[in-house]
Amino acid sequence: MKNSQLATLKFFALLFLLPGLAGLIVSATISTHYLDVMPRGPVLTEERIVPREIHGIVVYQTAEENSKLNLIEYSSVAVFLVGLGLGLVYLEKWGSVQVRAGEEDNELAKSQS
């Protein structure tokens, strides 16, 4: 694999890894915020009837808040896993290029001696 292809693969791995990680951090921040401000019991007048367990404590949120946080969490995990997969492919390809370069160096050293 050419160096330009490896660089492109590394770029796309980071392109997915970093936003995925950022999304996970944002969802954790939102969860801890919910833990601080959401009621511990259902509030029917505010339609806070959907339970969410955060660090062992159940808080109640609206269906819209629940769906938004689930979307952020699941999409962040998916993007992160795509980046992780691309990163593993990159490391495999990079390792095979390094092995070939080492073999070529060994052959060159043997032919010069």
Side-chain angles (χ1 to χ4, degrees):
M1 184 170 251
K2 296 178 182 176
N3 285 338
S4 62
Q5 291 173 325
L6 278 175
T8 302
L9 189 57
K10 183 166 90 172
F11 170 76
F12 280 107
L14 290 173
L15 186 69
F16 284 96
L17 273 173
L18 297 177
L21 186 59
L24 290 171
I25 292 169
V26 166
S27 69
T29 304
I30 292 171
S31 289
T32 55
H33 175 71
Y34 279 6
L35 187 60
D36 292 337
V37 299
M38 296 289 177
R40 304 282 196 264
V43 180
L44 297 176
T45 57
E46 296 176 8
E47 296 183 6
R48 295 192 183 282
I49 55 174
V50 180
R52 177 178 291 271
E53 184 177 343
I54 303 170
H55 301 296
I57 299 171
V58 177
V59 296
Y60 288 84
Q61 58 192 355
T62 64
E64 182 181 342
E65 291 166 339
N66 185 48
S67 64
K68 283 182 182 179
L69 186 54
N70 283 342
L71 178 66
I72 292 170
E73 287 175 346
Y74 294 138
S75 60
S76 297
V77 168
V79 169
F80 183 79
L81 289 176
V82 168
L84 186 62
L86 288 172
L88 291 173
V89 169
Y90 165 75
L91 289 174
E92 163 63 29
K93 299 294 184 184
W94 179 80
S96 64
V97 166
Q98 296 301 314
V99 167
R100 273 188 263 136
E103 289 172 356
E104 290 173 2
D105 289 344
N106 287 340
E107 290 175 12
L108 183 62
K110 286 180 184 179
S111 67
Q112 290 179 351
S113 10

